[in-house]
Amino acid sequence: YSATLFKENAKNKEPCICYFPLGRIHKKIMHRYLGSINIVSPSKFLYMKLFENGYRRLKLIQNGINVPKRKTSYKKKILFVGRLSKEKGLQTVTNSLNDLEDYKVSVLGEGPLKEELASKYKNVKFLGFKNPELYYLNSSVVVVPSIWAENLSYSILEAMSYGLCVIGANIGGIPEQIKHMETG
């Protein structure tokens, strides 16, 4: 997948937070020709990154979703919903999820890591791309182990709207959505 957010450096791969594809050139064009246009950010995290990079006409408008009428039944199921690529971080928690005896673990999504992870972890069900609604209704926990700076995770918004507990990485905009020991 060419949309990965990792860049190569001399020592290893590291997250690359790339807000605009052309960097400084894009910034000059924005300031010169679009100086009166506001940039909308869905998270405080991105808002502050843009501000630090010289953008001043910023608005913070967080995304919303429709709240479902039904809530989860809190079955002993753990869920991951998302692209199966390195930056989403599933590989960082799969050993732990595979070792759980009391919970069933399901992974919804496709991506370059699917075959590798599915072959290594037999106690985790890799179900491919599915509408997560039914799974939200029958789970109790959603994991969001991203290792790159998520802006505003729809997986978190959706899971919380169904009443699920969310365990997420302390990176990017995720801490804005999850308050430790309060909402996740």
Side-chain angles (χ1 to χ4, degrees):
Y1 291 102
S2 61
T4 184
L5 294 174
F6 282 85
K7 66 178 181 178
E8 298 280 348
N9 69 18
K11 295 180 183 173
N12 58 14
K13 288 186 175 188
E14 64 182 29
C16 171
I17 301 168
C18 305
Y19 302 108
F20 297 106
L22 301 177
R24 285 179 280 179
I25 296 169
H26 188 273
K27 192 170 165 180
K28 286 181 181 181
I29 292 169
M30 289 288 291
H31 283 291
R32 182 172 174 113
Y33 298 106
L34 305 174
S36 62
I37 293 177
N38 289 321
I39 299 173
V40 176
S41 169
S43 70
K44 292 176 193 169
F45 165 75
L46 180 59
Y47 183 98
M48 291 309 299
K49 289 291 182 189
L50 290 167
F51 187 82
E52 289 166 8
N53 282 290
Y55 294 93
R56 294 296 179 259
R57 296 190 55 89
L58 301 169
K59 297 289 181 198
L60 176 65
I61 302 175
Q62 294 174 323
N63 296 332
I65 61 169
N66 292 325
V67 178
K69 291 182 169 73
R70 297 171 54 201
K71 298 292 180 194
T72 185
S73 58
Y74 295 105
K75 294 186 179 163
K76 287 191 159 197
K77 294 181 180 179
I78 297 176
L79 189 60
F80 171 88
V81 179
R83 188 173 63 252
L84 301 179
S85 57
K86 185 171 181 176
E87 64 272 13
K88 292 296 186 176
L90 181 61
Q91 72 281 359
T92 67
V93 296
T94 316
N95 279 335
S96 299
L97 295 174
N98 192 60
D99 292 342
L100 293 175
E101 294 177 14
D102 292 346
Y103 284 81
K104 291 182 180 178
V105 180
S106 297
V107 173
L108 305 183
E110 295 287 342
L113 295 181
K114 183 180 179 186
E115 288 181 30
E116 176 189 339
L117 293 175
S119 67
K120 285 169 64 173
Y121 302 105
K122 300 301 179 194
N123 293 334
V124 176
K125 291 189 175 155
F126 288 81
L127 303 173
F129 181 78
K130 304 265 185 200
N131 181 342
E133 182 178 356
L134 259 175
Y135 297 90
Y136 288 140
L137 288 169
N138 293 302
S139 299
S140 55
V141 177
V142 166
V143 292
V144 183
S146 293
I147 60 173
W148 72 292
E150 294 271 356
N151 190 17
L152 187 88
S153 170
Y154 271 104
S155 297
I156 292 174
L157 291 175
E158 289 174 346
M160 286 182 165
S161 74
Y162 282 89
L164 278 76
C165 175
V166 180
I167 300 171
N170 188 17
I171 188 169
I174 294 174
E176 294 173 44
Q177 296 177 277
I178 302 172
K179 302 296 179 221
H180 183 58
M181 301 305 289
E182 233 178 276
T183 60

